[in-house]
Amino acid sequence: MFKTFDEALSWINGRLKFGVKPGLERMEWLLRKLGHPEKKLNAVHVAGTNGKGSTIAFLRSVLNEAGYTAGTFTSPYIITFNERISVDGAPISDEEWTALFNEVGPLVLELEKTEFGAATEFEIITACAFLYFAKYRRTDFVIFETGLGGRLDSTNVVKPMLTVITSIGHDHTAILGGTLKEIAAEKAGIIKRGVPVITAVHQHEAAEVIKRKAMETESAFISLHEDCQLYGELSLPEGEQFSLKTPLHHYEGIETSLIGTHQRQNASLAILAAEWLTAEKHAAIGEKELKRGIRNAGWPGRFEKVLNKPLVYIDGAHNKEGMERLAETISSHFAGRNIHVCFSALKDKPYRDMIRKIESFASSIHFTSFDFPRAESAQKLFEQSTADYKTFDEDIASVFRYIEEKAEEEKAVVVITGSLYFISAVRAALTE
């Protein structure tokens, strides 16, 4: 079907025109045809508004330090398409992706002739992930990240050994609902009967929805905020430090290399997940391996330093709650510095609220756009801002001119933020 990876990639990118189609019928049809690979995995399933990627990175790193192989399925990608399916942090090869598309592709064409209709891009790559880990590369564990919501997400055909729900916030409200309770119900839709759920959701109304779902499914419920205690919290120059008391153990002086106060929570969730895997004898993870894994975990695009002069960070704060976390990180790490922000966003995001939050800490804001069907124009973003020092340019190359202008400013910190697709494009250009 495809002779080269470029042909296969062009085909899968063409599936974007089918958009987002919540529902599991097409996935169930594809997986039945593939022999149900989703039933052959030791899976951990992760949902949440923010923090999914970082939590997965922490848990994967901990498992690796303890000597286990860990596959991950994540989205969207930051560096390369291939990273959506990775093993021990390394993206699978072009040849492996091409083989997967050649196996799944004919079934996709067959599916289009049924009453279920055309599969979306995300459904196809999710099917590829299940197939890869069941047939091509068996790993000790596979961690699956939901794409959107949970209940009707393509990944929700898996029966995991453990469920993790990181956070609840206002994102994709047109699909998931406008209230925290509605959004929590969609995320809680990944909880399966008898499968424990670990969560860091702190809002009472959202946490109650998840707790009720756990009770209905006879699933153990472990809450970071109710059952654990974080203390000794400190921002380090290149990361975070904290101590954690869980129902099973005390961990003193845990350090992360990921910057941001919220990373303490994400790391704690990974610790709880590793504790559970060990307690249930699915793994044997000691405190030394656990701490080393947390410290060594990396995750591109999460307050990641990409230049030293001027200091330039990229951060995928792509919704209101993400921008609030970014503001906290700026406050804890860069008090007294001049913060210059480059921002771009998708049309369907609450970017007016995000811009208001940026204005609370930015010395200047530059708005731009990027090559993506749902990207908002720089001018429309600019018009929503009441900042005194603001500029806009539709050309993404203006970001690099903006950075150059700040190079000689002694206290300048440039933060490139907004859409994950935007920061991915900027990161690729900067690292080249």
Side-chain angles (χ1 to χ4, degrees), residues 394-425:
E394 302 295 343
D395 185 359
I396 195 171
S398 64
V399 171
F400 310 113
R401 295 190 292 273
Y402 184 72
I403 291 171
E404 287 175 10
E405 291 169 5
K406 312 303 177 190
E408 300 306 317
E409 187 180 317
E410 187 179 347
K411 293 186 175 182
V413 177
V414 178
V415 179
I416 297 157
T417 189
S419 165
L420 288 168
Y421 299 100
F422 167 60
I423 69 162
S424 174

